[in-house]
């Protein structure tokens, strides 16, 4: 491979020797040829490759090719300028500065393209539902800013290499500074990594109703970089750090195969009651309520022999967890009225005290 490159350079140099001994003329020829080659390459990218990607159903390829035209042209043209610089015999120092400056321009041109490309890829991934759910509109700025930071850091590294700057000492200093910052921002970093683990593991999503082991219950309104926000049924917003959410026991009422939530209406009847009648009354109460789910259908269970009552439980499903409080209220009231109409007694705890008097 090296022999082929040397052979190609030899052929190019022989063609340049035909121009004459004037370095400025040879440099001008190189610049003109590089400009023409860059234009041809740009046209090829815009025409041949662009014609292929226009058959796709999205505009991702079109935007990508449109963004790629300028870096291709600038890279080839700047390479020609660098080759022309070597023909000018400007001296080692000035030649190095000129070539390094041209390389820096090329690096920043590709940096702009890489930033556009990362933004396009992230937006395309966020639009794919069900595959890359950790990238969503609410978390898109986090990944976008992270990608830009990485790209800028890589560009700075290559600029240092182009200028011949030793980056070993700078990397060591950056490591020490990063270590100090990590200790100073320990809580903030734990929240950030907690948020990333939540986005990756997906124990809950925006719009879910969750219960925490600390007692909070509400709808998830936001999963941010630092915290998760819940809107309780009292219309109070609670902000919980992601480091706490990452280690908490979470009950997701909206999770599972569907959003339906099961209500448990517990009621006790007096001993001696007709248990078949009690079950029929409870089923009738559930059937008369129009907001309960019919699939699964409501059911009644005889749970236990209590101290003062026979304990029953009406199990019914509601479409969403947010309806739990209101429908529990309505079912409790309906059960009480139905028991009164049917003559079923709801007992209360009572104690009989027998006083024995000692003889004599």
């Amino acid at each position: 491979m090296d022999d082929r490159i040397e052979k190609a350079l030899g052929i190019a140099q022989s063609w340049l020797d035909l121009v004459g001994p004037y370095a400025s003329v040879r440099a001008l020829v190189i610049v003109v040829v590089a400009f023409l080659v860059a234009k041809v390459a740009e046209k090829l990218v815009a025409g041949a490759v662009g014609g292929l990607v226009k058959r796709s159903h999205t505009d991702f390829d079109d935007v990508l090719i449109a963004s790629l035209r300028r870096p291709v042209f600038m890279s080839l043209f700047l390479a020609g300028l660098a080759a022309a610089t070597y023909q000018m015999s400007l001296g080692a120092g000035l030649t190095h500065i000129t070539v390094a400056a041209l390389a820096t321009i090329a690096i920043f041109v590709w940096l702009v393209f890489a930033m556009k490309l990362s933004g396009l890829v992230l937006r395309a991934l966020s639009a794919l539902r069900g595959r890359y759910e950790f990238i969503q509109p609410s978390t898109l700025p986090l990944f976008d800013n992270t990608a830009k930071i990485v790209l800028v850091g890589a560009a700075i590294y290559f600029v240092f290499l182009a200028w011949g700057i030793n980056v070993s000492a700078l990397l060591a200093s950056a490591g020490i500074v990063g270590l100090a910052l990590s200790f100073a921002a320990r809580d903030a970093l734990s929240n950030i990594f907690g948020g990333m683990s939540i986005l990756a593991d997906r124990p809950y999503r925006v719009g879910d109703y969750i219960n925490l082991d600390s007692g909070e219950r509400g709808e998830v309104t936001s999963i941010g970089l630092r915290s998760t926000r819940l809107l309780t049924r009292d219309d109070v917003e609670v902000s919980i750090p992601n480091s706490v959410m990452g280690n908490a026991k979470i009950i997701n009422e909206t999770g599972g195969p569907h959003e339906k939530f099961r209500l448990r209406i517990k009621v006790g009847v007096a001993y001696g009651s007709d248990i078949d009648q009690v079950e029929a009354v409870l089923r009738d109460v559930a059937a008369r309520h129009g907001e309960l789910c019919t699939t699964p259908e409501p059911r009644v269970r005889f749970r236990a022999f209590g101290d003062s009552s026979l304990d029953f439980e009406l199990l019914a499903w509601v479409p969403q967890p947010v309806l739990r409080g209101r429908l529990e209220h309505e079912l409790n009231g309906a059960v009480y009225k139905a028991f009164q109409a049917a003559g079923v007694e709801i007992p209360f705890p009572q104690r009989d005290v027998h006083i024995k008097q000692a003889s004599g």
Side-chain angles (χ1 to χ4, degrees):
M1 186 68 181
D2 295 336
D3 295 337
R4 293 180 182 179
I5 295 176
E6 292 180 359
K7 184 177 180 180
L9 292 177
I11 294 173
Q13 187 64 40
S14 63
W15 280 96
L16 290 174
D17 292 338
L18 296 177
V19 177
Y22 302 102
S24 58
V25 177
R26 286 186 293 181
L28 180 60
V29 171
I30 293 175
V31 171
V32 173
V33 172
F35 178 81
L36 294 176
V37 171
K39 274 296 182 181
V40 171
E42 183 183 13
K43 294 296 183 181
L44 288 176
V45 171
V49 183
L52 295 176
V53 300
K54 283 184 179 179
R55 300 176 183 176
S56 62
H57 299 288
T58 63
D59 60 347
F60 174 82
D61 299 330
D62 300 331
V63 178
L64 177 62
I65 296 303
S67 302
L68 186 61
R69 292 174 58 182
R70 182 176 179 82
V72 170
F73 172 80
M74 291 297 297
S75 298
L76 294 175
F77 183 63
L78 291 173
L81 292 179
T85 302
Y86 285 110
Q87 294 291 328
M88 294 295 293
S89 301
L90 300 176
L94 187 56
T95 300
H96 172 71
I97 293 174
T98 304
V99 173
L102 294 174
T104 302
I105 295 173
I107 290 170
F108 279 105
V109 169
W110 282 101
L111 172 63
V112 173
F113 169 75
M115 286 185 174
K116 290 182 179 180
L117 178 61
S118 66
L120 287 174
V121 171
L122 290 174
R123 283 192 291 271
L125 293 179
S126 65
L128 297 177
R129 302 298 181 187
R131 297 188 62 183
Y132 302 96
E133 295 185 352
F134 59 94
I135 302 178
Q136 51 184 313
S138 60
T139 60
L140 189 59
L142 169 62
F143 291 99
D144 189 32
N145 293 333
T146 303
K148 287 180 179 178
I149 292 173
V150 172
L151 291 173
V152 169
I156 293 174
Y157 174 76
F158 286 115
V159 168
F160 284 162
L161 292 181
W163 287 89
I165 300 175
N166 186 7
V167 297
S168 301
L170 295 176
L171 291 177
S173 302
I176 296 174
V177 173
L179 183 62
L181 291 176
S182 64
F183 280 108
R186 180 174 50 190
D187 294 337
L189 290 176
S190 64
N191 290 328
I192 292 173
F193 285 112
M196 295 178 66
S197 65
I198 290 172
L199 294 173
D201 190 44
R202 308 297 295 171
Y204 54 84
R205 306 176 184 178
V206 174
D208 287 357
Y209 274 83
I210 62 175
N211 290 326
L212 302 182
D213 52 1
S214 54
E216 290 86 357
R217 175 183 181 267
E219 178 186 2
V220 179
T221 58
S222 174
I223 304 175
L225 181 63
R226 193 197 66 86
S227 63
T228 296
R229 297 182 182 180
L230 303 181
L231 184 65
T232 67
R233 297 301 299 156
D234 297 328
D235 288 334
V236 176
E237 188 175 70
V238 180
S239 180
I240 306 171
N242 286 331
S243 59
V244 176
M245 295 294 292
N247 297 318
K249 178 183 177 182
I250 301 172
I251 300 176
N252 192 343
E253 296 180 358
T254 316
H258 48 68
E259 294 188 18
K260 297 177 183 178
F261 184 82
R262 186 163 70 173
L263 297 181
R264 297 176 179 269
I265 306 299
K266 298 180 180 181
V267 63
V269 299
Y271 276 90
S273 300
D274 186 350
I275 60 174
D276 294 330
Q277 180 190 18
V278 172
E279 184 174 350
V281 170
L282 291 176
R283 288 183 181 274
D284 183 66
V285 168
R288 289 176 179 272
H289 200 288
E291 294 187 60
L292 298 180
C293 297
T294 56
T295 305
E297 63 180 7
R299 62 194 65 174
V300 178
R301 293 292 182 263
F302 183 7
R303 291 302 189 190
F305 295 93
D307 294 337
S308 304
S309 63
L310 302 175
D311 297 333
F312 284 80
E313 197 171 47
L314 172 61
L315 305 177
W317 279 259
V318 297
Q320 294 177 339
V322 67
L323 302 175
R324 185 184 75 175
R326 179 173 63 84
L327 295 188
E328 277 185 349
H329 160 73
E330 295 177 359
L331 288 175
N332 283 330
V335 168
Y336 182 76
K337 293 177 182 179
F339 277 3
Q340 278 191 325
V344 178
E345 180 185 356
I346 301 178
F348 54 88
Q350 55 184 343
R351 295 289 185 270
D352 294 332
V353 179
H354 300 276
I355 301 176
K356 291 185 178 181
Q357 186 176 2
S359 60

